Amino acid sequence: MKIAENTVVGLTYELKVSKEADEIESAPFSVEVRDTEDPFYFLFGASDLPAKFEELLIGKERGEDFSFIVPVAEAYGEIDEDLIVTLPKSQFSGENGFNPEMLEEGNFLPLMDEDGYPMQAKILKDMGEDVLLDFNHPLVGFDLHFEGNIEEVREATEDELAHGHVHGAHGAHDEE
């Protein structure tokens, strides 16, 4: 079976990222590995990954290797300065489930948007009473280098199609 709309795809891959700065391309460095112990499963058309990623997988079959680069413009784009905001530390109190160690520079804060969806913000700077947070996607500004293998391609169940994501043991768990 080939990867197409309404299929569930299981992949193993290594994701490396690189950034161009002043015409100098940084060497790609690894940011995520999904191996055969914990493949990445997604419902095609609903992976939360850039559309270009899915487009480059169309027509591939189980057992096939893949290797491609999704450039910044087709990945998560450039940094949006509007998503860098200052918030009072008082919003991140113990009553709200936060502790002081969570507010260290460089950490990612697990947050919810107004609709209750999980999101995260990186703490750029501790400014005393306030913290400077970056709500951009962590991979914004990077070219994404994917290299991997197609582990499984199957038809999505009606339930999966109705809910827009994969159910059960296949890829529904995160160990983070």
Side-chain angles (χ1 to χ4, degrees):
M1 173 176 268
K2 293 184 186 313
I3 294 176
E5 283 296 319
N6 301 336
T7 58
V8 168
V9 182
L11 306 174
T12 53
Y13 65 80
E14 180 174 17
L15 168 59
K16 294 180 178 179
V17 297
S18 63
K19 185 177 271 205
E20 268 185 62
D22 305 322
E23 306 304 308
I24 300 162
E25 174 88 8
S26 72
F29 62 93
S30 182
V31 292
E32 185 182 19
V33 175
R34 298 297 290 262
D35 59 19
T36 50
E37 296 291 304
D38 183 27
F40 173 63
Y41 282 88
F42 68 96
L43 176 61
F44 191 86
S47 72
D48 287 339
L49 284 160
K52 187 70 178 174
F53 172 84
E54 292 194 10
E55 192 182 300
L56 290 165
L57 290 172
I58 289 174
K60 293 196 179 306
E61 299 179 64
R62 182 187 177 130
E64 271 190 73
D65 290 329
F66 59 90
S67 178
F68 51 75
I69 296 173
V70 179
V72 167
E74 295 180 289
Y76 294 103
E78 297 296 347
I79 288 176
D80 181 347
E81 298 296 334
D82 293 340
L83 295 177
I84 297 176
V85 295
T86 304
L87 291 175
K89 273 192 191 166
S90 58
Q91 288 194 356
F92 306 106
S93 65
E95 293 118 55
N96 294 341
F98 295 95
N99 62 45
E101 293 85 59
M102 292 170 83
L103 296 179
E104 288 173 15
E105 289 179 15
N107 283 356
F108 284 93
L109 281 179
L111 303 170
M112 296 271 182
D113 67 11
E114 54 273 4
D115 298 319
Y117 288 104
M119 59 190 293
Q120 58 180 10
K122 184 176 185 178
I123 301 173
L124 298 180
K125 192 160 179 58
D126 182 338
M127 298 156 59
E129 295 291 304
D130 298 320
V131 282
L132 184 63
L133 298 177
D134 183 353
F135 284 89
N136 282 289
H137 189 282
L139 295 177
V140 76
F142 287 103
D143 292 330
L144 310 181
H145 304 245
F146 285 96
E147 197 164 305
N149 183 271
I150 313 294
E151 295 289 319
E152 184 178 353
V153 183
R154 65 173 172 79
E155 277 185 45
T157 65
E158 283 183 29
D159 200 29
E160 287 168 334
L161 292 173
H163 290 96
H165 58 84
V166 180
H167 294 299
H170 291 307
H173 64 283
D174 284 323
E175 325 252 327
E176 292 167 274

